[in-house]
Amino acid sequence: MTISTTKKFVGVVAAAGLLVALAGCGSAPEPAASETSAAGGAVDGFKPCMVSDAGGFDDKSFNQLGFEGLEAASEELGVEYVAVQSDSEADFAPNITSLVDQNCTLIITVGFALASAAGEAAIANPDIEFVSIDDVVDNDFDGTTDAENIKPIIFDTAQAAFLAGYASASYSTAKKVGTFGGMNFPTVSIFMDGFAQGVEYWNSEKGDTVEVLGWDRAAQDGVFTGGFAANQDAINAAQGLVDQGVDVLLPVGGPIYQSAASVIRDSGREIALLGVDADVFETDPSVADLLLTSIRKAIDVGVQEAVLSAGVGEFDPAPFVGTLENEGVALAPFHDFESKVSPDLRAELDTIQAGIIDGSIPVESYLAG
């Protein structure tokens, strides 16, 4: 990144003040009605485009969800899209520039790490509309999005992660659960911190002592691989937690869950895996038998709605903040683990979710009011 993670985090927190008032408002993004195409499709010259983060469009996670939203909206509108994949941070700005040069009228950047480049491009190209997934694009740290032609779509994932933490503590017999991330970005650590809060809530409600390894809430730091690739660093991070005896593992960062899955299989132990962003049970059947549940973000639906709106000339730069209340975030079904969890767990989670929504059960995050 062109600015430090710490400084960037400060900017995110500042901009969050603008967004929290919107977090509980409205419903989840929904695709525009089918009459969009019936009314003649997209406005003349509409060309939606997308830049991936370094995870790539086949990450079975947030990049893939964003791409699926773009693809679905483009098909409905009857337009051609352009999608360019970033292999590293060095690709972000050149990829965005290439889309400007290809006369894209809407550019979607997928991921927190692209915010700096997206903000600069949006200011330099006020006639192009931008959608920023996972960042409010406040590079000058004044508490507002940098340009009126940028729509942020972000998610208070801590709320759904809280539910996952509670479920994991309920499932764990080792009384140890673990988590690790790609990089200590707010959009990564928000999962880990919400997860830890859910475990803490289980302990307080049940008088239990389940430990969370890999994340320190007080220090706001933990185990990170330094990137978002399913590589030896991700294997090492997962192995370190497995060696400490965890029986639930939450990897946060695109395809790094694949490394965690390989470590779990090699361990010969019963260790449950948690997915993030997508319902990984559905997106990656190769790990379905390991998945307790997934912490979902409606990235695909949010992108699809934004593209459809822009396509008919109704681009809306108002930020969308996904919460449990508006179904922008959610806990996936237990699928094959349904028979392995407590029969009382689903009802308990429904009660907790209602408490989070009405504010009686607070969940801390940089997006929380």
Side-chain angles (χ1 to χ4, degrees):
M1 300 179 65
T2 57
I3 54 181
S4 72
T5 300
T6 301
K7 187 175 181 183
K8 182 62 182 173
F9 176 73
V10 171
V12 170
V13 173
L18 164 73
L19 300 168
V20 291
L22 303 174
C25 302
S27 58
E30 294 181 358
S34 57
E35 61 261 29
T36 298
S37 294
V43 296
D44 289 344
F46 179 66
K47 187 175 184 179
C49 303
M50 177 175 282
V51 182
S52 82
D53 200 346
F57 290 122
D58 60 350
D59 64 356
K60 309 291 193 299
S61 187
F62 73 101
N63 282 293
Q64 180 170 321
L65 286 173
F67 178 78
E68 289 172 355
L70 169 66
E71 191 173 43
S74 298
E75 181 177 353
E76 182 169 343
L77 291 168
V79 298
E80 297 293 324
Y81 63 83
V82 177
V84 291
Q85 182 164 305
S86 303
D87 295 322
S88 71
E89 177 185 332
D91 295 333
F92 296 159
N95 278 344
I96 294 173
T97 298
S98 76
L99 296 180
V100 171
D101 293 343
Q102 292 179 67
N103 298 316
C104 294
T105 59
L106 177 72
I107 296 177
I108 305 156
T109 58
V110 188
F112 175 94
L114 282 89
S116 179
E120 292 175 5
I123 292 169
N125 299 277
D127 294 333
I128 298 176
E129 294 162 345
F130 286 77
V131 173
S132 170
I133 307 302
D134 264 354
D135 196 88
V136 297
V137 192
D138 179 25
N139 296 320
D140 58 6
F141 314 121
D142 67 351
T144 62
T145 298
D146 288 347
E148 294 181 356
N149 56 327
I150 303 172
K151 180 181 182 66
I153 299 180
I154 59 177
F155 304 87
D156 194 355
T157 330
Q159 295 185 354
F162 187 104
L163 299 178
Y166 187 93
S168 297
S170 171
Y171 173 82
S172 177
T173 58
K175 304 302 181 185
K176 291 182 179 181
V177 299
T179 182
F180 69 98
M183 298 180 73
N184 195 358
F185 293 161
T187 47
V188 173
S189 63
I190 193 172
F191 283 90
M192 303 165 76
D193 201 62
F195 176 74
Q197 290 177 67
V199 174
E200 291 173 5
Y201 188 74
W202 165 270
N203 286 338
S204 67
E205 291 293 298
K206 305 294 184 178
D208 208 347
T209 56
V210 178
E211 295 181 72
V212 177
L213 305 180
W215 177 250
D216 183 333
R217 289 206 66 223
Q220 287 292 294
D221 202 4
V223 177
F224 294 93
T225 67
F228 297 97
N231 56 19
Q232 189 61 47
D233 291 331
I235 290 173
N236 293 343
Q239 189 67 59
L241 293 168
V242 168
D243 288 346
Q244 293 179 72
V246 303
D247 60 359
V248 180
L249 189 55
L250 168 63
V252 184
I256 67 174
Y257 78 87
Q258 296 164 5
S259 300
S262 69
V263 170
I264 290 172
R265 294 199 189 283
D266 289 346
S267 75
R269 293 171 43 213
E270 293 289 329
I271 302 172
L273 180 68
L274 294 175
V276 299
D277 297 327
D279 183 348
V280 181
F281 183 93
E282 297 179 347
T283 60
D284 190 355
S286 72
V287 300
D289 61 307
L290 301 177
L291 284 163
L292 173 61
T293 184
S294 295
I295 304 161
R296 297 183 57 239
K297 300 196 297 192
I299 295 173
D300 52 342
V301 181
V303 169
Q304 185 173 355
E305 189 278 336
V307 175
L308 289 173
S309 296
V312 296
E314 298 176 359
F315 175 79
D316 178 9
F320 173 79
V321 185
T323 64
L324 288 175
E325 184 174 14
N326 61 28
E327 299 180 356
V329 300
L331 191 67
F334 292 117
H335 295 297
D336 289 353
F337 274 69
E338 193 69 50
S339 63
K340 301 179 183 181
V341 300
S342 166
D344 300 325
L345 180 58
R346 186 70 265 172
E348 291 178 18
L349 290 173
D350 289 344
T351 300
I352 294 168
Q353 176 164 321
I356 293 172
I357 290 171
D358 69 24
S360 60
I361 299 176
V363 180
E364 297 176 7
S365 81
Y366 69 96
L367 294 176

